[in-house]
Amino acid sequence: MSIRYLTAKLAQQIDEELMNAAGAFSLDQLMELAGLACAQTVAAVFDKSKYPRVLVCCGPGNQGGDGLVAARHLGMFGYQASLYMPKPGSKEIYQRLKKQCDNTAIPTVTGEDELRASLKSSDVILDAIFGFSFKPPIRSPFDVVLPILSESRVPIVSVDIPSGWDVEEGNAEGLGLNPDVLISLTAPKLGVRSFKGRHFLGGRFVPKTMEEKFQLNLPAYPGSSQIVEITNLPSSSY
């Protein structure tokens, strides 16, 4: 059967159910598993012997939290990870995740000039700026940051949905990033059906009962991997 692509409303509903009494997950758990899947995706596509330097760009919300977790894991995997946060998050969980990166000596890039300089010595960008709750237009400071990332021509791996894309309409305005690789979390979103690069699914935490309830039709994850490639799988939305 075809894997289900989610509307914004359904994606939000599934997230809420994962964290309510029925799902029983904490936000920390979901971020840890999502971030690990993101790091594994980078490692699967960009071998650290050829692409060792990864710039992880984090927004202020939960998407940025996934990026911070991924940065820590990439450092543990032996990559030279660095962070760029155009607008750091203020929540306590975000601050803890940033501290964990500091504790593993992951440097932080600040300001547009440092960003441009860092991109010249980066092999991969992990885009964890906007999540599925993003709605255009792109506001400051991100309206400056996204063009800088695009113009760098450094390969991009986007988390869940490319930054600047609407969760249902995709890159209709043409202002979002155009990544080479996408790692969808839980299930892919409706707006990325037009995505043409390599597409992975991550977040191996959806209970079978919830998968069946929402008719997600998720593919099997291979072995102990936290990701599965879905580049050429048929899709459905209903």
Side-chain angles (χ1 to χ4, degrees), residues 42-43 46-53 74 76-79 123:
V42 173
F46 297 100
D47 187 274
K48 68 182 177 184
S49 64
K50 294 182 179 179
Y51 304 91
R53 301 165 300 182
L74 287 167
M76 296 294 186
F77 293 172
Y79 286 83
D123 301 303

Side-chain angles (χ1 to χ4, degrees), residues 18-135:
L18 282 166
M19 289 186 283
N20 70 14
F25 281 96
S26 69
L27 180 59
D28 294 66
Q29 284 180 295
L30 295 177
M31 277 190 178
E32 189 65 29
L33 291 167
L36 176 58
C38 296
Q40 279 200 356
T41 301
V42 173
V45 180
F46 297 100
D47 187 274
K48 68 182 177 184
S49 64
K50 294 182 179 179
Y51 304 91
R53 301 165 300 182
V54 184
L55 178 64
V56 183
C57 299
C58 300
N62 291 347
Q63 187 92 335
D66 296 341
L68 291 169
V69 173
R72 170 164 43 83
H73 282 294
L74 287 167
M76 296 294 186
F77 293 172
Y79 286 83
Q80 298 169 36
S82 57
L83 290 171
Y84 177 65
M85 298 172 292
K87 184 180 179 182
S90 58
K91 292 182 180 178
E92 185 262 348
I93 187 172
Y94 195 101
Q95 298 299 320
R96 286 193 288 108
L97 293 171
K98 174 60 166 63
K99 178 62 174 175
Q100 291 167 16
C101 289
D102 295 341
N103 290 343
T104 51
I106 295 173
T108 299
V109 175
T110 58
E112 293 169 21
D113 290 341
E114 277 194 38
L115 172 61
R116 288 187 173 92
S118 180
L119 286 167
K120 291 178 181 177
S121 59
S122 295
D123 301 303
V124 184
I125 296 166
L126 181 61
D127 158 37
I129 298 175
F130 295 138
F132 65 74
S133 60
F134 167 79
K135 289 289 183 185

Side-chain angles (χ1 to χ4, degrees), residues 199-211:
H199 192 178
F200 291 80
L201 177 66
R204 194 175 182 175
F205 44 66
V206 180
K208 196 68 180 176
T209 52
M210 198 174 295
E211 179 186 343

